[in-house]
Short mmCIF file of all heavy atoms in Angstrom, two decimals:
data_model
loop_
_atom_site.label_atom_id
_atom_site.label_comp_id
_atom_site.label_asym_id
_atom_site.label_seq_id
_atom_site.Cartn_x
_atom_site.Cartn_y
_atom_site.Cartn_z
N GLU A 26 0.85 -1.20 0.00
CA GLU A 26 0.00 0.00 0.00
C GLU A 26 0.88 1.24 0.00
O GLU A 26 1.80 1.35 0.80
CB GLU A 26 -0.91 -0.01 1.23
CG GLU A 26 -1.84 1.19 1.30
CD GLU A 26 -2.78 1.11 2.47
OE1 GLU A 26 -3.05 -0.02 2.93
OE2 GLU A 26 -3.24 2.16 2.93
N VAL A 27 0.59 2.14 -0.93
CA VAL A 27 1.32 3.40 -1.01
C VAL A 27 0.33 4.54 -0.79
O VAL A 27 -0.69 4.62 -1.47
CB VAL A 27 1.99 3.56 -2.39
CG1 VAL A 27 2.69 4.91 -2.47
CG2 VAL A 27 2.99 2.44 -2.63
N CYS A 28 0.60 5.41 0.16
CA CYS A 28 -0.29 6.53 0.47
C CYS A 28 0.39 7.84 0.10
O CYS A 28 1.55 8.07 0.45
CB CYS A 28 -0.63 6.53 1.95
SG CYS A 28 -1.54 5.06 2.51
N ALA A 29 -0.36 8.68 -0.61
CA ALA A 29 0.17 9.99 -1.00
C ALA A 29 -0.99 10.88 -1.38
O ALA A 29 -2.09 10.42 -1.69
CB ALA A 29 1.15 9.85 -2.16
N ARG A 30 -0.75 12.20 -1.41
CA ARG A 30 -1.76 13.18 -1.81
C ARG A 30 -1.63 13.53 -3.28
O ARG A 30 -2.58 13.98 -3.91
CB ARG A 30 -1.61 14.45 -0.97
CG ARG A 30 -1.91 14.26 0.50
CD ARG A 30 -3.39 14.06 0.74
NE ARG A 30 -4.17 15.18 0.26
CZ ARG A 30 -4.40 16.28 0.98
NH1 ARG A 30 -3.90 16.38 2.19
NH2 ARG A 30 -5.12 17.26 0.48
N LYS A 31 -0.42 13.32 -3.84
CA LYS A 31 -0.21 13.72 -5.22
C LYS A 31 0.89 12.88 -5.86
O LYS A 31 1.91 12.60 -5.23
CB LYS A 31 0.17 15.21 -5.28
CG LYS A 31 0.30 15.78 -6.67
CD LYS A 31 0.55 17.28 -6.60
CE LYS A 31 0.62 17.91 -7.99
NZ LYS A 31 0.83 19.36 -7.92
N PHE A 32 0.65 12.48 -7.11
CA PHE A 32 1.65 11.78 -7.90
C PHE A 32 1.88 12.56 -9.20
O PHE A 32 0.94 13.09 -9.78
CB PHE A 32 1.20 10.36 -8.27
CG PHE A 32 1.19 9.41 -7.11
CD1 PHE A 32 0.01 9.14 -6.43
CD2 PHE A 32 2.35 8.76 -6.71
CE1 PHE A 32 -0.02 8.27 -5.37
CE2 PHE A 32 2.34 7.88 -5.65
CZ PHE A 32 1.16 7.63 -4.97
N LYS A 33 3.13 12.61 -9.64
CA LYS A 33 3.46 13.28 -10.90
C LYS A 33 4.39 12.38 -11.70
O LYS A 33 5.37 11.87 -11.18
CB LYS A 33 4.12 14.62 -10.64
CG LYS A 33 4.49 15.38 -11.91
CD LYS A 33 5.24 16.67 -11.58
CE LYS A 33 4.33 17.68 -10.92
NZ LYS A 33 5.02 18.99 -10.76
N LEU A 34 4.06 12.19 -12.99
CA LEU A 34 4.90 11.42 -13.89
C LEU A 34 5.49 12.35 -14.94
O LEU A 34 4.79 13.17 -15.52
CB LEU A 34 4.09 10.32 -14.59
CG LEU A 34 3.43 9.27 -13.68
CD1 LEU A 34 2.67 8.26 -14.54
CD2 LEU A 34 4.45 8.57 -12.82
N VAL A 35 6.80 12.22 -15.18
CA VAL A 35 7.48 13.04 -16.17
C VAL A 35 8.13 12.14 -17.20
O VAL A 35 8.45 10.98 -16.93
CB VAL A 35 8.54 13.95 -15.51
CG1 VAL A 35 7.89 14.90 -14.53
CG2 VAL A 35 9.60 13.12 -14.81
N ASP A 36 8.32 12.68 -18.41
CA ASP A 36 8.98 11.90 -19.45
C ASP A 36 10.49 12.08 -19.39
O ASP A 36 11.03 12.70 -18.46
CB ASP A 36 8.43 12.28 -20.84
CG ASP A 36 8.66 13.74 -21.19
OD1 ASP A 36 9.52 14.37 -20.56
OD2 ASP A 36 7.97 14.24 -22.10
N GLU A 37 11.20 11.52 -20.38
CA GLU A 37 12.66 11.56 -20.36
C GLU A 37 13.21 12.98 -20.49
O GLU A 37 14.37 13.23 -20.17
CB GLU A 37 13.23 10.68 -21.48
CG GLU A 37 12.88 11.13 -22.89
CD GLU A 37 11.51 10.66 -23.34
OE1 GLU A 37 10.78 10.08 -22.51
OE2 GLU A 37 11.18 10.86 -24.53
N LYS A 38 12.37 13.94 -20.94
CA LYS A 38 12.81 15.33 -21.06
C LYS A 38 12.44 16.16 -19.84
O LYS A 38 12.68 17.37 -19.81
CB LYS A 38 12.20 15.95 -22.31
CG LYS A 38 12.66 15.30 -23.61
CD LYS A 38 12.02 15.96 -24.81
CE LYS A 38 12.46 15.30 -26.10
NZ LYS A 38 11.83 15.92 -27.30
N GLY A 39 11.81 15.52 -18.85
CA GLY A 39 11.44 16.23 -17.64
C GLY A 39 10.09 16.91 -17.70
O GLY A 39 9.70 17.58 -16.75
N LYS A 40 9.35 16.75 -18.80
CA LYS A 40 8.03 17.37 -18.92
C LYS A 40 6.98 16.53 -18.21
O LYS A 40 6.98 15.30 -18.30
CB LYS A 40 7.65 17.54 -20.39
CG LYS A 40 8.48 18.58 -21.12
CD LYS A 40 7.93 18.83 -22.51
CE LYS A 40 8.70 19.95 -23.20
NZ LYS A 40 8.16 20.24 -24.55
N THR A 41 6.08 17.23 -17.51
CA THR A 41 5.02 16.53 -16.79
C THR A 41 4.01 15.95 -17.78
O THR A 41 3.48 16.66 -18.62
CB THR A 41 4.30 17.50 -15.84
OG1 THR A 41 5.24 18.01 -14.90
CG2 THR A 41 3.19 16.77 -15.09
N ARG A 42 3.77 14.65 -17.68
CA ARG A 42 2.84 13.99 -18.59
C ARG A 42 1.58 13.50 -17.90
O ARG A 42 0.56 13.28 -18.55
CB ARG A 42 3.54 12.81 -19.27
CG ARG A 42 4.78 13.18 -20.05
CD ARG A 42 4.43 14.08 -21.22
NE ARG A 42 3.59 13.41 -22.18
CZ ARG A 42 4.02 12.66 -23.18
NH1 ARG A 42 5.32 12.47 -23.35
NH2 ARG A 42 3.18 12.10 -24.03
N ALA A 43 1.63 13.34 -16.57
CA ALA A 43 0.45 12.89 -15.84
C ALA A 43 0.54 13.38 -14.40
O ALA A 43 1.62 13.39 -13.79
CB ALA A 43 0.33 11.37 -15.87
N VAL A 44 -0.61 13.80 -13.85
CA VAL A 44 -0.69 14.24 -12.46
C VAL A 44 -1.94 13.64 -11.84
O VAL A 44 -3.05 13.77 -12.39
CB VAL A 44 -0.75 15.78 -12.35
CG1 VAL A 44 -0.90 16.19 -10.88
CG2 VAL A 44 0.49 16.42 -12.95
N MET A 45 -1.77 12.97 -10.72
CA MET A 45 -2.90 12.46 -9.94
C MET A 45 -2.90 13.21 -8.62
O MET A 45 -1.89 13.26 -7.93
CB MET A 45 -2.76 10.96 -9.71
CG MET A 45 -3.94 10.35 -8.97
SD MET A 45 -3.72 8.57 -8.67
CE MET A 45 -3.73 7.97 -10.34
N ASP A 46 -4.04 13.80 -8.28
CA ASP A 46 -4.07 14.71 -7.14
C ASP A 46 -5.40 14.58 -6.42
O ASP A 46 -6.40 14.11 -6.98
CB ASP A 46 -3.88 16.15 -7.64
CG ASP A 46 -3.47 17.10 -6.52
OD1 ASP A 46 -3.35 16.64 -5.37
OD2 ASP A 46 -3.29 18.29 -6.80
N VAL A 47 -5.44 15.00 -5.16
CA VAL A 47 -6.66 15.08 -4.36
C VAL A 47 -6.72 16.47 -3.76
O VAL A 47 -5.80 16.88 -3.05
CB VAL A 47 -6.70 14.01 -3.24
CG1 VAL A 47 -7.98 14.15 -2.43
CG2 VAL A 47 -6.59 12.61 -3.83
N MET A 48 -7.83 17.19 -4.06
CA MET A 48 -7.93 18.59 -3.63
C MET A 48 -9.28 18.85 -2.99
O MET A 48 -10.22 19.30 -3.62
CB MET A 48 -7.73 19.53 -4.82
CG MET A 48 -6.38 19.42 -5.50
SD MET A 48 -6.24 20.51 -6.93
CE MET A 48 -6.52 22.12 -6.18
N GLY A 49 -9.42 18.55 -1.73
CA GLY A 49 -10.59 18.89 -0.95
C GLY A 49 -11.91 18.56 -1.62
O GLY A 49 -12.15 17.44 -2.08
N LYS A 50 -12.80 19.58 -1.71
CA LYS A 50 -14.11 19.38 -2.31
C LYS A 50 -14.04 19.10 -3.81
O LYS A 50 -14.99 18.58 -4.39
CB LYS A 50 -15.01 20.60 -2.06
CG LYS A 50 -15.39 20.79 -0.59
CD LYS A 50 -16.35 21.95 -0.44
CE LYS A 50 -16.75 22.12 1.01
NZ LYS A 50 -17.72 23.25 1.19
#
């Protein structure tokens, strides 16, 4: 089990390609 509020995936150039987040309401 992995617990976190936010995950970010970047490609080989460092650009953000995916973000999973939880923001209140």
Side-chain angles (χ1 to χ4, degrees):
E26 181 176 335
V27 177
C28 297
R30 295 288 301 274
K31 185 175 183 179
F32 289 97
K33 180 184 291 187
L34 300 180
V35 299
D36 61 19
E37 64 277 6
K38 297 180 181 179
K40 290 188 176 182
T41 300
R42 302 296 296 274
V44 177
M45 183 182 295
D46 198 359
V47 179
M48 299 178 59
K50 293 184 178 181

